[in-house]
């Protein structure tokens, strides 16, 4: 019997996956897969809560899976699958919809952020309901730990609340999951605006470094990254842009922020930025080599195998839930 605790996490196949997604989430998964029974999902059903081009969505779904694999997720240790290939997610979501409350979804900051631009009148119901689908993803598998970046904390809280509410109403059914948010990399900020997180859906490409950016692009983007007033390399809350760049430098090197400060004493932003770009490229190069060596066919096979592996877990939990709420199964 497998007594290891289970982790579950996912990424949406929309936009360009960036170093924030890597540092905030995927890098941690790679470490955790040795300790936990790990399930990693490409959440295409979440992606369609905003308009997607169907062909592009298929392409991005495979791309995300390749990114998981190139980053070091090992399909022998972890299950990787596509959310829409396990229909239990949608079914459990419907049942959880009946215990989730409107005000708890209304207060979700990500929904508020995403509808700020277009207004909530144009938002799809699915965008509003998105955190309930995420709760279904997590609860279906008896997940104990959810490794995510800080921006997903509120969503994991909702999953916890729904698990407790369901258990109270229908008897012990769901494990109450915990978010796992690592201090370093938990919130990588935009290169063009250190007040806002680095985002796949940012309007400007100068907001992020994509995991698939080439050398020249990385250099150009780092050169253009905003910095604070002054010329010294200081790690401080008063210099949020520089602090963000030092955090990125630190995450991709073995140096702590203090060591980086020391290394650049007496040097200016120019030297710092040139070497920061090199540190990032030093990570991206071997990563992209692995990415490029993966064929669509082998990745689709890994995803299909992953779905076959996790489906029985999802079905068993869904049957238990259906039985508890009074469905005839
Ligand atoms: P998504 O696709 O927006 O982001 C994927 C992961 O990357 C993290 N992340 C960041 N971390 C640090 N700095 C940033 N700037 C940054 N931007 C993104 C996110 O926190 C996330 O961990 N709803 C989720 C996907 C999801 C999911 C789940 C996650 C669906 N079901 C179940 C965990 C469990 C999302 O949209 O992530």
């Amino acid at each position: 019997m497998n007594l290891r605790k289970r982790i579950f996490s996912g990424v949406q196949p929309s936009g360009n996956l960036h170093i924030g997604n890597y540092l905030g989430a995927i890098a941690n998964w790679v470490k955790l897969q040795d300790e936990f029974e790990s399930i990693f999902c490409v959440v295409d059903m979440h992606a369609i809560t905003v308009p997607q081009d169907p062909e592009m969505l298929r392409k991005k779904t495979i791309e995300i899976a390749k990114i998981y694999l190139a980053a070091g997720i090992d399909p022998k240790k972890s299950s990787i699958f596509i959310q829409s290939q396990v229909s239990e997610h949608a079914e459990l979501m419907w049942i959880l919809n009946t215990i989730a409350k409107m005000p708890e979804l209304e207060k979700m900051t990500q929904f508020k952020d995403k509808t700020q631009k277009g207004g909530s009148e144009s938002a799809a119901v699915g965008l509003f309901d998105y955190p309930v689908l995420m709760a279904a993803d997590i609860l279906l598998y008896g997940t104990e730990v959810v490794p995510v970046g800080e921006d997903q904390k509120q969503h994991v809280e909702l999953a916890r609340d729904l698990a407790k509410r369901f258990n109270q109403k229908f008897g012990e059914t769901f494990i109450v999951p915990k978010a796992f948010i690592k201090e370093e990399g938990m919130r990588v900020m935009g290169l063009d605006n250190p007040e806002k997180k680095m985002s796949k859906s940012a309007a400007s490409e100068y907001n992020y470094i994509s995991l698939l950016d080439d050398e020249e692009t990385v250099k150009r983007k780092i050169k253009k990254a905003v910095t604070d007033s002054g010329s010294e390399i200081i790690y401080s809350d008063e210099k949020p842009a520089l602090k963000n760049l030092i955090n990125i430098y630190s995450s991709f090197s073995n140096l702590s922020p203090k060591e980086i400060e020391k290394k650049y004493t007496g040097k200016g932003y120019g030297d710092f930025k040139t070497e920061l770009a090199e540190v990032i490229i030093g990570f991206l190069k071997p990563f992209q080599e692995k990415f490029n060596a993966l064929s669509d066919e082998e990745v689709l096979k890994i995803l299909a195998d992953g779905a076959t592996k996790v489906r029985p877990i999802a079905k068993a939990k869904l049957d238990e839930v259906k039985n508890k709420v009074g469905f005839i199964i």
Side-chain angles (χ1 to χ4, degrees), residues 12 20-21 46 130 134 137 149 151-152 185-186 188 198 200:
Q12 289 191 64
N21 299 120
H46 276 102
Y130 164 122
M134 179 161 159
D137 296 341
D151 61 323
Q152 297 299 321
M186 67 179 189
V188 179
M198 188 174 279
K200 297 191 272 228

Side-chain angles (χ1 to χ4, degrees), residues 8-14 17-26 29 41 43 46 68 83 110 114 130-131 133-135 137-138 143 146-153 155-156 185-190 196-200:
F8 181 100
S9 201
V11 173
Q12 289 191 64
S14 55
L17 229 65
H18 51 66
I19 56 172
N21 299 120
Y22 175 76
L23 296 173
I26 302 170
W29 306 355
C41 188
V43 292
H46 276 102
Y68 288 180
Q83 185 185 35
Q110 197 167 74
K114 283 199 174 171
Y130 164 122
L133 177 58
M134 179 161 159
D137 296 341
I138 296 167
T143 305
V146 188
V148 281
E150 207 205 5
D151 61 323
Q152 297 299 321
K153 193 173 169 192
H155 294 159
V156 179
M186 67 179 189
R187 208 152 189 257
V188 179
M189 309 311 283
K196 285 190 131 181
K197 67 165 187 169
M198 188 174 279
S199 165
K200 297 191 272 228

Side-chain angles (χ1 to χ4, degrees), residues 17-185:
L17 229 65
H18 51 66
I19 56 172
N21 299 120
Y22 175 76
L23 296 173
I26 302 170
N28 299 325
W29 306 355
V30 175
K31 292 185 198 133
L32 293 168
Q33 68 180 341
D34 290 321
E35 195 186 327
F36 292 90
E37 191 193 331
S38 306
I39 305 179
F40 302 118
C41 188
V42 184
V43 292
D44 54 348
M45 282 158 54
H46 276 102
I48 61 162
T49 57
V50 295
Q52 302 290 344
D53 171 71
E55 268 326 304
M56 187 55 100
L57 181 62
R58 264 187 282 274
K59 188 172 161 265
K60 286 276 169 192
T61 299
I62 297 173
E63 186 179 295
I64 300 291
K66 284 187 183 175
I67 285 174
Y68 288 180
L69 295 164
I73 301 294
D74 179 351
K76 288 195 210 79
K77 297 180 189 164
S78 307
S79 305
I80 309 176
F81 75 104
I82 303 172
Q83 185 185 35
S84 64
Q85 291 189 349
V86 179
S87 58
E88 282 80 358
H89 290 245
E91 290 185 66
L92 178 61
M93 180 206 190
W94 181 254
I95 296 171
L96 294 178
N97 266 339
T98 65
I99 62 162
K101 309 280 184 225
M102 296 289 286
E104 60 192 352
L105 294 181
E106 274 159 3
K107 71 174 193 216
M108 291 291 151
T109 52
Q110 197 167 74
F111 177 73
K112 286 197 261 183
D113 283 353
K114 283 199 174 171
T115 51
Q116 220 169 31
K117 301 161 206 158
S120 62
E121 290 79 27
S122 61
V125 175
L127 186 64
F128 181 67
D129 207 18
Y130 164 122
V132 181
L133 177 58
M134 179 161 159
D137 296 341
I138 296 167
L139 300 181
L140 257 186
Y141 297 98
T143 305
E144 297 197 52
V145 181
V146 188
V148 281
E150 207 205 5
D151 61 323
Q152 297 299 321
K153 193 173 169 192
Q154 202 185 20
H155 294 159
V156 179
E157 280 300 318
L158 178 77
R160 288 171 61 80
D161 291 344
L162 294 180
K164 287 186 212 158
R165 195 172 305 153
F166 190 96
N167 290 348
Q168 212 165 31
K169 222 170 156 191
F170 297 104
E172 211 50 36
T173 310
F174 292 123
I175 288 176
V176 180
K178 279 196 197 76
F180 174 84
I181 299 165
K182 264 198 100 193
E183 183 79 42
E184 78 222 31

